[in-house]
């Protein structure tokens, strides 16, 4: 009982809407909010790098290195929020996420690989950094094309 109360208190304090179950699984609507928040932050920290790559912002190696490190963490976060029980929630998750789970996992892995490369390339000069930024962008776009509704 005390453990249950502590769980409720923790859930309230963190505002994470846990259901009171043995696995303390977040509720479907909360999972959707969290995965979209992680994507939104990826957009925030990738955005300036995309602009540098397109020549619309001056190249800044320090910003690339900092944002690459943030993306390294953020790019691990959305995926455990795509659970089957979120299917009924309003979101842009395409049915292929569940119909082609292996393909969705491959898209995540390829993306993670590109982000890891960017972390390394961010210390290797402008040309290498820009090539790695371009590769990350291709991964964002191809996953959105295949697994996000328009
Ligand atoms: C492996 C697939 C995948 C990759 C890679 C990916 N995304 Fe997404 N992204 C999605 C899906 C699926 C959604 C829709 C999520 C939803 O509505 O619940 C989404 C949604 C978004 C959104 C909208 C969030 C919102 O609040 O609705 C943004 C912004 C975004 N992604 C940015 C990015 C950026 C920037 C990258 C690359 C740095 C990226 N994504 C890489 C699959 C991916």
């Amino acid at each position: 009982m005390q453990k249950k109360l502590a769980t409720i208190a923790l859930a309230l304090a963190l505002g994470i809407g846990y259901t009171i179950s043995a696995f303390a699984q977040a509720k479907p609507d909360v999972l959707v909010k969290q995965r979209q928040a992680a994507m939104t932050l990826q957009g925030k920290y990738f955005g300036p790098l995309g602009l540098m790559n397109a020549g619309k912002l001056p190249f800044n190696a320090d910003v690339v290195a900092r944002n690459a490190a943030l993306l390294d963490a953020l790019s691990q976060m959305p995926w455990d929020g795509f659970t089957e029980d979120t299917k009924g929630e309003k979101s842009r998750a395409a049915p292929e996420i569940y119909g082609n789970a292996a393909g969705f996992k491959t898209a995540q892995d390829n993306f993670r690989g590109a982000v890891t490369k960017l972390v390394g390339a961010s210390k290797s000069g402008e040309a290498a950094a820009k090539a790695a930024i371009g590769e990350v962008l291709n991964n964002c776009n191809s996953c959105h094309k295949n697994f996000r509704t328009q």
Side-chain angles (χ1 to χ4, degrees), residues 57-94:
L57 258 189
F59 182 77
N60 181 325
D62 292 337
V63 173
V64 175
R66 187 195 72 141
N67 288 19
L70 294 171
L71 283 169
D72 195 29
L74 288 167
S75 61
Q76 300 176 53
M77 292 181 194
W79 321 122
D80 63 1
F82 290 94
T83 53
E84 293 263 350
D85 62 352
T86 61
K87 275 181 176 176
E89 300 296 320
K90 192 169 167 279
S91 92
R92 289 173 71 192

Side-chain angles (χ1 to χ4, degrees), residues 2-3 11 27-28 35 40 43 56 68 75 79 91 95 102 107 109 111 116 122 129-130 133-134 138-140 150:
Q2 236 174 13
K3 210 168 168 189
K27 286 182 189 164
R35 76 193 186 201
T40 301
K56 291 179 180 151
S75 61
W79 321 122
S91 92
D109 292 345
F111 171 57
T116 303
S122 66
K130 283 188 169 175
I133 290 168
N138 288 340
N139 277 277
C140 307
Q150 297 315 306

Side-chain angles (χ1 to χ4, degrees), residues 7-30:
T7 307
I8 295 168
L10 178 70
L12 289 176
L14 299 177
I16 45 187
Y18 279 109
T19 53
I20 307 305
S21 75
F23 299 104
Q25 163 91 31
K27 286 182 189 164
D29 61 320
V30 177

